[in-house]
Coordinates of all heavy atoms in Angstrom, one line a residue:
D3 N 148.4 123.6 -91.9 CA 147.4 123.9 -92.9 C 146.7 125.2 -92.4 O 146.0 125.2 -91.4 CB 146.3 122.8 -93.0 CG 145.3 123.0 -94.1 OD1 145.1 124.2 -94.5 OD2 144.7 122.0 -94.5
V4 N 147.0 126.3 -93.0 CA 146.5 127.6 -92.6 C 145.0 127.7 -92.7 O 144.3 128.6 -92.1 CB 147.2 128.8 -93.2 CG1 148.6 128.8 -92.9 CG2 146.9 128.7 -94.7
R5 N 144.3 126.9 -93.5 CA 142.9 126.9 -93.7 C 142.1 126.5 -92.5 O 141.1 127.0 -92.2 CB 142.5 126.1 -94.9 CG 143.1 126.7 -96.2 CD 142.8 125.8 -97.4 NE 143.3 124.5 -97.2 CZ 143.2 123.5 -98.0 NH1 142.5 123.7 -99.2 NH2 143.7 122.3 -97.8
N6 N 142.7 125.4 -91.8 CA 141.9 124.9 -90.6 C 142.8 124.7 -89.4 O 142.3 124.3 -88.4 CB 141.3 123.5 -91.0 CG 142.3 122.5 -91.5 OD1 143.5 122.6 -91.1 ND2 141.8 121.5 -92.2
G7 N 144.1 125.1 -89.5 CA 144.9 125.0 -88.3 C 145.5 123.6 -88.0 O 146.2 123.4 -87.0
A8 N 145.2 122.7 -88.9 CA 145.7 121.3 -88.7 C 147.2 121.2 -89.0 O 147.7 121.8 -89.9 CB 144.9 120.3 -89.5
I9 N 147.9 120.4 -88.2 CA 149.3 120.2 -88.4 C 149.4 118.7 -89.0 O 148.9 117.8 -88.4 CB 150.1 120.3 -87.1 CG1 150.0 121.7 -86.6 CG2 151.5 119.9 -87.3 CD1 150.7 122.0 -85.3
H10 N 150.1 118.6 -90.1 CA 150.3 117.4 -90.8 C 151.8 116.9 -90.7 O 152.7 117.7 -90.9 CB 149.9 117.5 -92.3 CG 148.4 117.9 -92.4 ND1 147.4 117.0 -92.3 CD2 147.9 119.1 -92.7 CE1 146.3 117.6 -92.5 NE2 146.5 118.9 -92.7
K11 N 152.0 115.7 -90.5 CA 153.3 115.1 -90.5 C 153.6 114.7 -92.0 O 152.9 114.0 -92.6 CB 153.4 113.8 -89.6 CG 154.7 113.1 -89.6 CD 154.7 111.9 -88.8 CE 156.0 111.2 -88.9 NZ 155.9 109.8 -88.3
V12 N 154.8 115.1 -92.4 CA 155.2 114.9 -93.8 C 156.6 114.3 -93.8 O 157.4 114.7 -93.1 CB 155.2 116.3 -94.6 CG1 155.7 116.1 -96.0 CG2 153.8 116.9 -94.6
D13 N 156.8 113.3 -94.7 CA 158.1 112.7 -94.9 C 158.3 112.7 -96.3 O 157.6 112.1 -97.2 CB 158.0 111.2 -94.3 CG 159.4 110.6 -94.3 OD1 160.4 111.3 -94.5 OD2 159.5 109.4 -94.2
I14 N 159.4 113.4 -96.7 CA 159.8 113.5 -98.1 C 160.9 112.6 -98.4 O 162.0 112.7 -97.7 CB 160.2 115.0 -98.5 CG1 159.0 115.9 -98.2 CG2 160.6 115.1 -99.9 CD1 159.4 117.4 -98.3
G15 N 160.8 111.7 -99.3 CA 161.8 110.7 -99.6 C 162.9 111.3 -100.6 O 162.6 112.4 -101.1
Q16 N 163.9 110.6 -100.8 CA 165.0 111.0 -101.7 C 164.5 111.0 -103.2 O 163.6 110.2 -103.5 CB 166.2 110.1 -101.6 CG 166.9 110.2 -100.2 CD 167.6 111.5 -100.0 OE1 168.1 112.1 -100.9 NE2 167.7 111.9 -98.8
K17 N 165.1 111.8 -104.0 CA 164.8 111.9 -105.4 C 165.2 110.6 -106.0 O 166.3 110.1 -105.8 CB 165.5 113.1 -106.0 CG 165.4 113.1 -107.5 CD 166.0 114.4 -108.1 CE 167.5 114.4 -108.0 NZ 168.1 115.6 -108.7
A18 N 164.4 110.0 -106.9 CA 164.8 108.8 -107.7 C 164.7 109.2 -109.2 O 163.7 109.8 -109.6 CB 163.9 107.7 -107.4
E19 N 165.7 108.9 -110.0 CA 165.6 109.1 -111.4 C 164.8 108.0 -112.0 O 165.2 106.8 -111.8 CB 167.0 109.2 -112.0 CG 167.9 110.3 -111.4 CD 167.5 111.7 -111.8 OE1 166.9 111.8 -112.9 OE2 167.8 112.6 -111.0
V20 N 163.8 108.3 -112.8 CA 162.9 107.3 -113.5 C 162.7 107.7 -114.9 O 163.1 108.8 -115.3 CB 161.6 107.2 -112.7 CG1 161.8 106.7 -111.3 CG2 160.8 108.5 -112.8
K21 N 162.1 106.8 -115.6 CA 161.8 107.0 -117.0 C 160.3 106.8 -117.1 O 159.8 105.7 -116.6 CB 162.5 106.2 -118.0 CG 164.0 106.5 -117.9 CD 164.7 106.0 -119.2 CE 166.2 106.2 -119.2 NZ 166.6 107.5 -118.8
L22 N 159.5 107.7 -117.7 CA 158.1 107.5 -117.9 C 157.8 107.2 -119.4 O 158.5 107.7 -120.3 CB 157.4 108.8 -117.5 CG 157.5 109.2 -116.1 CD1 156.8 110.6 -115.8 CD2 157.0 108.2 -115.1
N23 N 156.8 106.3 -119.6 CA 156.5 105.9 -121.0 C 155.6 107.0 -121.6 O 154.5 107.3 -121.0 CB 155.8 104.6 -120.9 CG 155.4 104.1 -122.3 OD1 156.0 104.5 -123.3 ND2 154.3 103.4 -122.4
V24 N 156.0 107.6 -122.7 CA 155.2 108.6 -123.4 C 155.1 108.1 -124.8 O 156.0 108.2 -125.6 CB 155.8 110.0 -123.3 CG1 154.9 111.0 -124.1 CG2 156.0 110.4 -121.9
L25 N 153.9 107.5 -125.1 CA 153.7 107.0 -126.5 C 154.8 106.1 -127.0 O 155.3 106.2 -128.1 CB 153.4 108.1 -127.4 CG 152.2 109.0 -127.1 CD1 152.2 110.2 -128.0 CD2 150.9 108.2 -127.1
G26 N 155.3 105.2 -126.1 CA 156.4 104.3 -126.5 C 157.8 104.8 -126.4 O 158.8 104.1 -126.7
R27 N 157.9 106.0 -125.9 CA 159.3 106.6 -125.8 C 159.5 106.9 -124.3 O 158.6 107.1 -123.5 CB 159.4 107.9 -126.6 CG 159.2 107.7 -128.0 CD 159.3 108.9 -128.8 NE 160.7 109.2 -129.0 CZ 161.1 110.3 -129.6 NH1 160.3 111.2 -130.0 NH2 162.4 110.5 -129.7
A28 N 160.8 106.8 -123.9 CA 161.1 107.1 -122.5 C 161.4 108.5 -122.2 O 162.2 109.2 -122.9 CB 162.4 106.2 -122.1
L29 N 160.7 109.1 -121.2 CA 160.9 110.5 -120.8 C 161.6 110.5 -119.4 O 161.0 109.9 -118.5 CB 159.5 111.2 -120.7 CG 159.5 112.6 -120.1 CD1 160.1 113.6 -121.2 CD2 158.1 113.0 -119.8
P30 N 162.8 111.0 -119.3 CA 163.4 111.1 -118.1 C 162.7 112.0 -117.1 O 162.2 113.1 -117.5 CB 164.8 111.7 -118.3 CG 164.7 112.3 -119.7 CD 163.6 111.7 -120.4
A31 N 162.6 111.6 -115.8 CA 161.9 112.3 -114.8 C 162.4 112.0 -113.4 O 163.3 111.1 -113.3 CB 160.4 112.0 -114.9
E32 N 162.0 112.8 -112.5 CA 162.3 112.5 -111.1 C 161.1 112.1 -110.3 O 160.0 112.6 -110.5 CB 162.9 113.8 -110.4 CG 164.0 114.4 -111.2 CD 164.2 115.9 -110.9 OE1 163.4 116.5 -110.2 OE2 165.3 116.4 -111.3
R33 N 161.2 111.1 -109.4 CA 160.1 110.7 -108.6 C 160.5 110.9 -107.2 O 161.5 110.5 -106.7 CB 159.8 109.2 -108.8 CG 158.6 108.7 -108.0 CD 158.4 107.2 -108.1 NE 159.5 106.6 -107.5 CZ 160.2 105.5 -108.0 NH1 159.8 105.0 -109.1 NH2 161.2 105.0 -107.3
Y34 N 159.5 111.5 -106.4 CA 159.7 111.7 -105.0 C 158.5 110.9 -104.3 O 157.4 111.0 -104.7 CB 159.6 113.2 -104.6 CG 160.7 114.0 -105.2 CD1 160.5 114.6 -106.5 CD2 161.8 114.3 -104.4 CE1 161.5 115.4 -107.0 CE2 162.8 115.2 -104.9 CZ 162.6 115.7 -106.2 OH 163.6 116.5 -106.7
S35 N 158.9 110.2 -103.3 CA 157.8 109.5 -102.5 C 157.6 110.4 -101.3 O 158.5 110.8 -100.5 CB 158.3 108.2 -102.0 OG 157.3 107.6 -101.2
V36 N 156.4 110.9 -101.2 CA 156.0 111.8 -100.1 C 154.9 111.2 -99.3 O 153.8 110.8 -99.8 CB 155.6 113.2 -100.6 CG1 155.1 114.1 -99.5 CG2 156.7 113.8 -101.4
T37 N 155.1 111.1 -98.0 CA 154.0 110.6 -97.1 C 153.4 111.8 -96.3 O 154.2 112.5 -95.6 CB 154.5 109.6 -96.1 OG1 155.2 108.5 -96.9 CG2 153.4 109.0 -95.2
V38 N 152.1 112.0 -96.5 CA 151.4 113.0 -95.7 C 150.5 112.3 -94.8 O 149.6 111.7 -95.2 CB 150.7 114.0 -96.7 CG1 149.9 115.0 -95.9 CG2 151.6 114.6 -97.7
D39 N 150.7 112.5 -93.5 CA 150.0 111.8 -92.5 C 150.3 110.3 -92.8 O 151.3 109.8 -92.7 CB 148.6 112.2 -92.3 CG 148.4 113.6 -91.8 OD1 149.3 114.1 -91.0 OD2 147.5 114.3 -92.2
D40 N 149.2 109.6 -93.2 CA 149.4 108.1 -93.5 C 149.2 107.8 -95.0 O 149.2 106.7 -95.4 CB 148.4 107.3 -92.7 CG 148.7 107.3 -91.3 OD1 149.8 107.4 -90.9 OD2 147.7 107.3 -90.5
E41 N 149.1 108.9 -95.8 CA 148.9 108.6 -97.3 C 150.2 108.9 -98.0 O 150.9 109.9 -97.9 CB 147.8 109.6 -97.8 CG 147.5 109.3 -99.3 CD 146.2 110.0 -99.7 OE1 145.5 110.6 -98.9 OE2 145.9 110.0 -100.9
V42 N 150.5 107.9 -98.9 CA 151.8 108.0 -99.7 C 151.4 108.5 -101.1 O 150.6 108.0 -101.7 CB 152.4 106.6 -99.8 CG1 153.7 106.6 -100.7 CG2 152.8 106.0 -98.4
L43 N 152.2 109.5 -101.5 CA 152.1 110.1 -102.8 C 153.3 109.9 -103.6 O 154.4 110.0 -103.0 CB 151.8 111.6 -102.7 CG 150.5 112.1 -102.0 CD1 150.6 113.6 -101.8 CD2 149.3 111.6 -102.7
Q44 N 153.3 109.6 -104.9 CA 154.4 109.6 -105.7 C 154.3 110.9 -106.6 O 153.3 111.1 -107.3 CB 154.4 108.4 -106.6 CG 154.4 107.1 -105.9 CD 155.7 106.9 -105.1 OE1 156.8 107.2 -105.5 NE2 155.6 106.4 -103.9
I45 N 155.3 111.8 -106.5 CA 155.3 113.0 -107.2 C 156.3 113.0 -108.3 O 157.5 112.6 -108.0 CB 155.5 114.2 -106.3 CG1 154.4 114.3 -105.2 CG2 155.6 115.5 -107.0 CD1 154.5 115.3 -104.2
F46 N 155.9 113.2 -109.5 CA 156.8 113.1 -110.7 C 157.0 114.5 -111.2 O 156.1 115.3 -111.5 CB 156.1 112.2 -111.8 CG 156.0 110.8 -111.4 CD1 154.8 110.4 -110.7 CD2 156.9 109.9 -111.6 CE1 154.6 109.1 -110.2 CE2 156.8 108.5 -111.2 CZ 155.6 108.2 -110.5
R47 N 158.3 114.8 -111.4 CA 158.8 116.1 -111.9 C 159.8 116.0 -113.0 O 160.5 114.9 -113.0 CB 159.4 117.0 -110.8 CG 158.4 117.3 -109.7 CD 159.1 118.0 -108.5 NE 160.0 119.1 -108.9 CZ 159.5 120.4 -108.8 NH1 158.4 120.7 -108.3 NH2 160.3 121.4 -109.1
Q48 N 159.9 117.0 -113.8 CA 161.0 117.1 -114.7 C 161.5 118.5 -114.6 O 160.9 119.5 -115.1 CB 160.6 116.8 -116.1 CG 161.8 116.7 -117.1 CD 161.4 116.4 -118.5 OE1 160.5 117.1 -119.1 NE2 162.0 115.4 -119.1
G49 N 162.7 118.7 -113.8 CA 163.2 120.0 -113.5 C 162.1 120.7 -112.6 O 161.7 120.2 -111.6
D50 N 161.7 121.9 -113.1 CA 160.7 122.7 -112.3 C 159.3 122.3 -112.7 O 158.3 122.8 -112.1 CB 160.9 124.2 -112.6 CG 162.2 124.7 -111.9 OD1 162.7 124.0 -111.0 OD2 162.6 125.7 -112.4

C-alpha cells in the first residue's frame, strides 16, 4: 500500500462461473474469492 507503506497478504482464488439474478433473469458472471489479510471479498465481474 503506497499510501502508508503497509504490506498486505492477498490470496486470489480461481475464477468461478456464476449466474446473478437480475429482475428474475440469469446474468452470467465470474466470481473471484479474494482474501486480503483476514477479510474475504467476493468480486463479481463480467469480462472487463
